[in-house]
Amino acid sequence: MSEAPKRSAADIEADLQRTRQELTDVVNELSTRLDPKANAAAAAEEAKAKANEFLAKAKAVPTDASEGDSTAIGILAAAAATAALAVFLIFKK
């Protein structure tokens, strides 16, 4: 069995320092990923972006319907039917 090459104290210290730095980086990354405030802020931003995207699509429905888009016409018809049903149910009493 051959012996492992002798390492100098400086080599060992350099390896230890590199390992410490790697561990520090991993701990910092995990800390960032698991930060509740950061996660909540990111979720809020994502929800806001999705809401803005939905709003933009909703605002485009009347224009799309007036241009003959059958999907937009269907959406408006369903919305009108839902509103009519709600009014009927309210005044039925």
Side-chain angles (χ1 to χ4, degrees):
M1 190 162 127
S2 64
E3 289 185 31
K6 299 277 183 177
R7 294 178 12 171
S8 69
D11 289 340
I12 294 170
E13 183 61 36
D15 284 346
L16 286 172
Q17 186 60 32
R18 185 174 52 256
T19 301
R20 282 187 195 112
Q21 186 59 51
E22 289 172 359
L23 285 173
T24 299
D25 293 344
V26 168
V27 168
N28 289 338
E29 182 178 344
L30 287 173
S31 176
T32 300
R33 284 186 185 183
L34 299 175
D35 180 22
K37 287 183 181 178
N39 288 339
E45 284 299 317
E46 184 176 343
K48 187 184 289 187
K50 286 184 179 181
N52 286 335
E53 180 182 341
F54 177 79
L55 183 61
K57 286 181 181 179
K59 285 182 178 179
V61 169
T63 305
D64 293 346
S66 69
E67 294 172 355
D69 183 355
S70 60
T71 302
I73 293 169
I75 290 170
L76 289 178
T82 302
L85 179 61
V87 169
F88 173 76
L89 292 174
I90 289 171
F91 289 111
K92 180 181 174 187
K93 292 182 179 182

